[in-house]
Amino acid sequence: MVVAVRQVVLYLSLWTACVLSKPTEKKDRIHHEPQLSDKVHDDAQNFDYDHDAFLGADEAKTFDQLTPEESKERLGKIVSKIDEDKDGFVTPEELKDWIKFAQKRWIYEDVERQWKGHDLNEDGLISWEEYKNATYGYILDDPDPDDGFNYKQMMVRDERRFKMADKDSDLIATKEEFTAFLHPEEYEYMKDIVVQETMEDIDKNGDGFIDLEEYIGDMYSHDGDAEEPEWVKTEREQFVEFRDKNRDGKMDKEETKDWILPSDYDHAEAEARHLVYESDQNKDGKLSKEEIVDKYDLFVGSQATDFGEALVRHDEF
């Protein structure tokens, strides 16, 4: 029951934020790939950008407190994890996958938290029935909740997304399928459901398209304002010039997909190639553990002196 309450509170918080947001605040539905670091990428100055990219900004800070020896030791353990096929080498593709993981570690931490609350029989799987009972069970016992919120409609939407994430259609989610259910924007095969849910949110007249006023209405409410802010005018121009590609006055599914799921520059791939180029001593296009550890200062930070017992140690790796 506690899980159910927490889950519904989360939904209501998100819903309330959308409904009660200030009229001049812009709602951003575009799913951008996050920047790897807010540091300047200039290896002539330092490797701070590369450290953030390779480890994630929070984890990179922990390495700055280690001696070079400890930093190398922990890096070596990370390399073993990056080498997915265990052939003793790290390819650019494996490095790219690791960077994406490091940048989105919060997603996997979120999945772990929710997994514990939904895998009720602790069999390492989550069925739709388990998820439904943990999330909606006690609420659905009341056919007419006091707050008037349509939980049944929310549950139908969740079930549809769960089935989309469930690749083998057995209504039982593995950890990977559950991750796709919770974070569909991260998975190519889930992108259609992201588009569908977005269109349902915005398409107020139910014609299957998003027209200009629906597009603007999703971001901005006049709420008695005499004049629209400049950014609203800019968004109107964006809709006409770029969103509505076929100039028919509305966005269809493909145009909506291009809007909310743009084909961004792959920063992780570019960084992986950069790290390989800088570290590949024998120029065979892949990295051994020795090549990476030899170039440890490019991948991770460290302190030049030993802080002994004062060091903050982390054992995740």
Side-chain angles (χ1 to χ4, degrees), residues 3 49 65 103 111 116 124 130 141-142 151 162 234 279 303:
V3 173
Y49 177 98
Q65 303 169 61
Q103 293 296 318
V111 171
K116 292 174 183 176
E130 279 182 303
D141 291 338
D142 181 0
Y151 297 104
F162 191 97
T234 300
S279 309
Q303 290 283 2

Side-chain angles (χ1 to χ4, degrees), residues 239-277:
F239 183 94
V240 173
E241 295 298 323
F242 302 106
R243 311 287 187 227
D244 177 21
K245 291 180 167 58
N246 61 6
R247 301 292 195 271
D248 65 352
K250 54 193 176 184
M251 286 195 293
D252 58 23
K253 288 182 180 178
E254 284 304 312
E255 289 168 330
T256 302
K257 185 176 183 179
D258 289 344
W259 165 42
I260 65 172
L261 297 167
S263 299
D264 285 342
Y265 176 72
D266 196 331
H267 295 280
E269 181 178 358
E271 178 64 10
R273 289 179 177 175
H274 168 66
L275 293 174
V276 170
Y277 176 81

Side-chain angles (χ1 to χ4, degrees), residues 63 84 97 148 155 162 176 210 240 261 273:
F63 273 78
E84 294 179 2
D97 289 344
M155 186 181 72
F162 191 97
E176 187 73 8
I210 298 175
V240 173
L261 297 167
R273 289 179 177 175

Side-chain angles (χ1 to χ4, degrees), residues 2 26 74 83 109 112 149 217 226 248 252 263 278 296:
V2 173
K26 181 179 177 181
R74 284 184 58 185
D83 179 17
E109 292 171 349
E112 287 298 329
F149 200 75
D248 65 352
D252 58 23
S263 299
E278 294 294 335
Y296 83 98

Side-chain angles (χ1 to χ4, degrees), residues 79-114:
V79 173
S80 298
K81 292 192 172 188
I82 301 173
D83 179 17
E84 294 179 2
D85 59 9
K86 305 305 177 188
D87 67 348
F89 295 94
V90 170
T91 65
E93 188 67 23
E94 287 173 330
L95 194 50
K96 180 184 77 171
D97 289 344
W98 168 262
I99 291 170
K100 286 182 179 290
F101 168 80
Q103 293 296 318
K104 296 176 180 178
R105 189 178 279 113
W106 67 271
I107 289 176
Y108 301 100
E109 292 171 349
D110 173 56
V111 171
E112 287 298 329
R113 283 193 298 270
Q114 298 215 40

Side-chain angles (χ1 to χ4, degrees), residues 36-225:
L36 301 185
S37 173
D38 59 6
K39 313 283 196 328
V40 176
H41 195 183
D42 183 359
D43 287 354
Q45 297 295 321
N46 56 58
F47 297 133
D48 290 347
Y49 177 98
D50 301 295
H51 299 166
D52 284 358
F54 181 71
L55 295 167
D58 289 340
E59 186 64 21
K61 292 176 184 176
T62 71
F63 273 78
D64 290 339
Q65 303 169 61
L66 303 177
T67 65
E69 291 71 23
E70 288 175 309
S71 193
K72 289 178 183 180
E73 181 182 353
R74 284 184 58 185
L75 175 59
K77 293 177 181 179
I78 293 175
V79 173
S80 298
K81 292 192 172 188
I82 301 173
D83 179 17
E84 294 179 2
D85 59 9
K86 305 305 177 188
D87 67 348
F89 295 94
V90 170
T91 65
E93 188 67 23
E94 287 173 330
L95 194 50
K96 180 184 77 171
D97 289 344
W98 168 262
I99 291 170
K100 286 182 179 290
F101 168 80
Q103 293 296 318
K104 296 176 180 178
R105 189 178 279 113
W106 67 271
I107 289 176
Y108 301 100
E109 292 171 349
D110 173 56
V111 171
E112 287 298 329
R113 283 193 298 270
Q114 298 215 40
W115 186 268
K116 292 174 183 176
H118 290 94
D119 181 14
L120 302 182
N121 63 5
E122 298 184 349
D123 65 347
L125 299 166
I126 294 177
S127 69
W128 166 247
E129 286 300 314
E130 279 182 303
Y131 181 82
K132 181 177 71 173
N133 291 335
T135 307
Y136 298 104
Y138 85 101
I139 294 173
L140 296 178
D141 291 338
D142 181 0
D144 187 25
D146 293 336
D147 57 21
F149 200 75
N150 195 335
Y151 297 104
K152 288 188 177 180
Q153 184 178 358
M154 187 189 300
M155 186 181 72
V156 168
R157 182 158 158 160
D158 268 357
E159 183 176 10
R160 182 181 63 192
R161 189 198 284 189
F162 191 97
K163 288 179 177 178
M164 180 71 77
D166 177 26
K167 283 187 168 183
D168 56 8
S169 302
D170 61 357
L171 284 180
I172 299 174
T174 62
K175 185 75 67 74
E176 187 73 8
E177 289 170 335
F178 192 62
T179 305
F181 166 68
L182 293 177
H183 299 278
E185 69 283 352
E186 302 295 334
Y187 290 80
E188 190 64 36
Y189 81 101
M190 294 293 290
K191 288 187 175 180
D192 284 346
I193 202 73
V194 177
V195 174
Q196 185 175 356
E197 290 178 0
T198 302
M199 294 189 76
E200 288 171 352
D201 289 344
I202 302 175
D203 175 23
K204 300 306 182 186
N205 63 13
D207 66 350
F209 297 92
I210 298 175
D211 61 36
L212 176 58
E213 292 313 311
E214 288 170 335
Y215 174 79
I216 295 298
D218 180 59
M219 305 178 188
Y220 169 75
S221 172
H222 283 277
D223 201 28
D225 292 351

Side-chain angles (χ1 to χ4, degrees), residues 72 75-77 79-80 83 87-90 278-282 284 286-297 299:
K72 289 178 183 180
L75 175 59
K77 293 177 181 179
V79 173
S80 298
D83 179 17
D87 67 348
F89 295 94
V90 170
E278 294 294 335
S279 309
D280 184 14
Q281 296 175 15
N282 63 4
D284 63 353
K286 55 189 178 182
L287 300 179
S288 66
K289 179 183 287 190
E290 290 73 21
E291 286 176 321
I292 292 175
V293 174
D294 283 348
K295 195 73 173 179
Y296 83 98
D297 57 337
F299 291 86

